[in-house]
Amino acid sequence: MKPHIQTLSSKLILVSLFDREINCRRAASATFQECVGRQGNFPHGIEILTEADYFTLSNRANAYLNVSCFVGQYPEYLESMLKYLAFEKLQHCDVTIRVLASQALSVLSVFNPELIIKEVLLPLIEKCFSKALHIRHGAILGVAEIIIGLSGNSQQSRQETLDQAFVTLSLKEKAIIKDSENHQKFKALFDDLSSQNYITKLLPAGSEDMAKVKGIITRIEQENLYKGKGGEIMRGGVCHLIWAMSTAKLDIDTSLKENLFKTLLDNFKQVNTEIQDEATRAFKVYCCAYLNGVTAGNNEPVMQFVHKMIDSSANETNIAMCRGYNMAFGVMSQDMLLLFAGEKLFQVLMANCVPKGVDSDDAEARKQTCKSLIQIVETMGLQNINVEIRKQIMETFYTCFEDYTVDRRGDVGSWVRQEAMVSLNKFINLIVSCNDETIIS
């Protein structure tokens, strides 16, 4: 058995961590445990068994992002894990598995940044243009998450996914999966590794490899990979890549900034709300990374785009476009809002919160506009908003309480009423918590 120990242990680890089916993960874990007990020479077998057991592997997200993170510290398993995720699981037919695999790559990238750039990142860039939809979608997710990991931002994304996965678990199940003493000791090491920015050293701004990363979106658009079957999935992947580039704050030129802005605008127009959500998430980080400090004179193209968005939101009959643009207004940075959020923008948003009595009325769009309106107030601060506008905003929320629109889906007006209640509650809290008497009055 000795010549086959490394191969056998690696294969069992891969199945126990990354198989889609819970029974397969548990069976591989049990086999690994038997081999550790009988052979005694599996690398780091005892340490791994304390983490990868029947219960901790039962939750797929925990197996991908928590347990694999612990196993990844051991070089004997790391390379096989990285390549298996990149060239097997990123090409899986299940979108959920592709997403988890990309996030696992983000977490594992900090253990050997040089290896993941040479052996994983560069091959994945070429796969972003594959004719097979599942291959290019998985590749673009993988590239995005590796950038996140190498830039020192993988912890936040990982924790968000784990929190979502643990929502449905009972307190007893959460207690079982809770970090062991072994994992607690490992956390200090991982926190230190995952907080470092490896991009500036290994992928400098002027390098050929970084140019390939920055050119992915442009090439996808040139090759028309949005068109045909699966175009919506690719749009979501591109938005995720923009989010990753913005989170990592890659150094990009003015031309690419404008192209990314145009790409996001195009995705705001899509009917699919999942694409709009991805675009909104990316736009929020994009504004903070590349449009902070924007003024009337230093970014003329962006100003033109935003003014066009405001005009379109006011006059356009395209429901999806209005909804998408209104969502974008809510996540703009404070600098952008202070520049653009004049009376016109507020009037447009308040008008879009209430039914207009036309065919283009849409309850989902009104709900999103209510949400964006309070987000703008929170970002700008009450002190930067005109007194009359503040009164009109509150009146708008009260008006939304009377939205009892009904269509084939039922009482769709309830979506607007619920969002208005939440928004009004936040608005009143902002007023009460403000010490400025002029605002309270």
Side-chain angles (χ1 to χ4, degrees):
M1 286 289 287
K2 189 174 181 180
H4 309 290
I5 289 296
Q6 183 61 48
T7 302
L8 181 60
S9 61
S10 295
K11 294 295 183 183
L12 287 173
I13 284 293
L14 294 178
V15 177
S16 62
L17 293 176
F18 304 128
D19 198 274
R20 183 171 69 165
E21 303 303 328
I22 181 174
N23 291 332
C24 293
R25 294 196 301 274
R26 285 174 166 173
S29 174
T31 305
F32 186 86
Q33 182 178 352
E34 285 294 319
C35 290
V36 169
R38 295 177 185 277
Q39 298 297 323
N41 52 1
F42 271 32
H44 309 286
I46 299 298
E47 292 88 344
I48 292 173
L49 284 178
T50 62
E51 296 301 319
D53 59 29
Y54 183 87
F55 296 105
T56 58
L57 296 173
S58 62
N59 185 283
R60 189 191 294 163
N62 190 63
Y64 268 82
L65 304 180
N66 214 5
V67 183
S68 71
C69 176
F70 180 84
V71 179
Q73 69 180 306
Y74 303 119
E76 293 88 345
Y77 301 105
L78 179 61
E79 184 173 355
S80 61
M81 290 168 65
L82 291 174
K83 292 183 176 180
Y84 182 71
L85 286 168
F87 306 121
E88 297 289 339
K89 289 302 178 181
L90 282 183
Q91 301 175 18
H92 201 279
C93 59
D94 188 340
V95 176
T96 307
I97 297 297
R98 297 203 291 268
V99 171
L100 279 174
S102 67
Q103 292 173 333
L105 281 174
S106 175
V107 171
L108 295 171
S109 64
V110 300
F111 294 112
N112 196 333
E114 293 88 353
L115 173 67
I116 201 165
I117 290 174
K118 293 179 181 178
E119 301 293 334
V120 177
L121 179 62
L122 297 180
L124 282 180
I125 291 175
E126 293 305 315
K127 291 180 179 289
C128 289
F129 318 107
S130 169
K131 292 183 179 179
L133 172 64
H134 64 287
I135 293 178
R136 65 175 184 264
H137 178 248
I140 199 170
L141 291 179
V143 171
E145 289 294 337
I146 289 172
I147 290 173
I148 289 294
L150 295 178
S151 65
N153 293 289
S154 62
Q155 273 283 50
Q156 181 181 355
S157 178
R158 166 178 173 259
Q159 195 57 50
E160 288 175 359
T161 304
L162 287 173
D163 289 342
Q164 292 173 5
F166 291 170
V167 166
T168 57
L169 299 183
S170 66
L171 293 176
K172 184 177 180 180
E173 289 172 322
K174 290 179 182 178
I176 292 173
I177 294 178
K178 189 177 179 181
D179 294 336
S180 67
E181 183 180 348
N182 231 358
H183 206 130
Q184 291 290 349
K185 294 178 181 177
F186 160 72
K187 268 187 174 181
L189 168 66
F190 180 71
D191 289 344
D192 179 57
L193 291 174
S194 62
S195 62
Q196 297 180 36
N197 189 335
Y198 301 94
I199 288 182
T200 52
K201 179 181 177 182
L202 302 176
L203 286 173
S207 67
E208 182 180 349
D209 294 340
M210 179 55 78
K212 290 180 180 179
V213 172
K214 294 177 182 178
I216 291 175
I217 295 175
T218 302
R219 185 174 166 188
I220 285 175
E221 292 174 347
Q222 288 174 346
E223 296 186 12
N224 294 320
L225 295 180
Y226 293 146
K227 295 185 177 179
K229 187 177 181 181
E232 290 186 342
I233 294 178
M234 282 303 295
R235 286 185 179 277
V238 165
C239 288
H240 190 68
L241 181 56
I242 295 175
W243 170 81
M245 293 171 66
S246 303
T247 302
K249 296 184 179 178
L250 299 186
D251 185 14
I252 61 178
D253 57 34
T254 304
S255 175
L256 184 54
K257 286 180 185 179
E258 292 179 17
N259 288 339
L260 296 182
F261 199 105
K262 290 178 182 177
T263 300
L264 291 173
L265 288 186
D266 188 41
N267 286 311
F268 283 132
K269 303 174 186 177
Q270 301 303 309
V271 176
N272 191 324
T273 55
E274 291 182 2
I275 296 176
Q276 290 183 326
D277 288 337
E278 281 288 348
T280 303
R281 179 172 178 246
F283 188 62
K284 180 178 182 178
V285 186
Y286 174 88
C287 289
C288 294
Y290 301 121
L291 298 180
N292 256 350
V294 65
T295 62
N298 71 354
N299 223 318
E300 187 65 29
V302 170
M303 288 194 65
Q304 293 176 359
F305 289 141
V306 175
H307 284 307
K308 184 178 178 181
M309 290 169 65
I310 296 172
D311 293 336
S312 298
S313 183
N315 305 314
E316 183 62 55
T317 56
N318 185 323
I319 296 173
M321 181 186 291
C322 290
R323 182 175 64 231
Y325 285 173
N326 291 337
M327 291 168 70
F329 296 140
V331 296
M332 283 183 177
S333 63
Q334 187 178 45
D335 288 344
M336 291 189 69
L337 288 173
L338 292 176
L339 184 61
F340 298 111
E343 184 175 351
K344 183 177 180 180
L345 176 58
F346 280 113
Q347 294 298 338
V348 167
L349 289 175
M350 288 187 287
N352 288 341
C353 283
V354 296
K356 299 177 182 177
V358 295
D359 293 338
S360 60
D361 270 350
D362 178 63
E364 181 65 29
R366 297 197 297 277
K367 170 192 166 185
Q368 293 294 348
T369 308
C370 272
K371 184 177 180 180
S372 293
L373 192 56
I374 191 60
Q375 286 175 331
I376 291 174
V377 174
E378 290 176 325
T379 304
M380 287 186 65
L382 285 172
Q383 68 277 9
N384 295 312
I385 301 175
N386 183 277
V387 175
E388 281 302 314
I389 295 294
R390 293 201 296 265
K391 291 179 180 178
Q392 291 175 23
I393 290 173
M394 183 171 283
E395 290 172 0
T396 300
F397 291 144
Y398 281 120
T399 304
C400 290
F401 292 161
E402 301 173 6
D403 191 332
Y404 288 93
T405 307
V406 177
D407 63 12
R408 57 185 175 79
R409 296 169 292 182
D411 181 16
V412 293
S414 64
W415 305 343
V416 185
R417 298 197 302 273
Q418 290 172 5
E419 192 61 50
M421 290 177 192
V422 173
S423 299
L424 181 61
N425 181 46
K426 292 179 180 179
F427 189 75
I428 293 173
N429 284 335
L430 285 173
I431 294 175
V432 172
S433 62
C434 186
N435 294 323
D436 191 336
E437 294 183 1
T438 60
I439 292 178
I440 297 175
S441 61

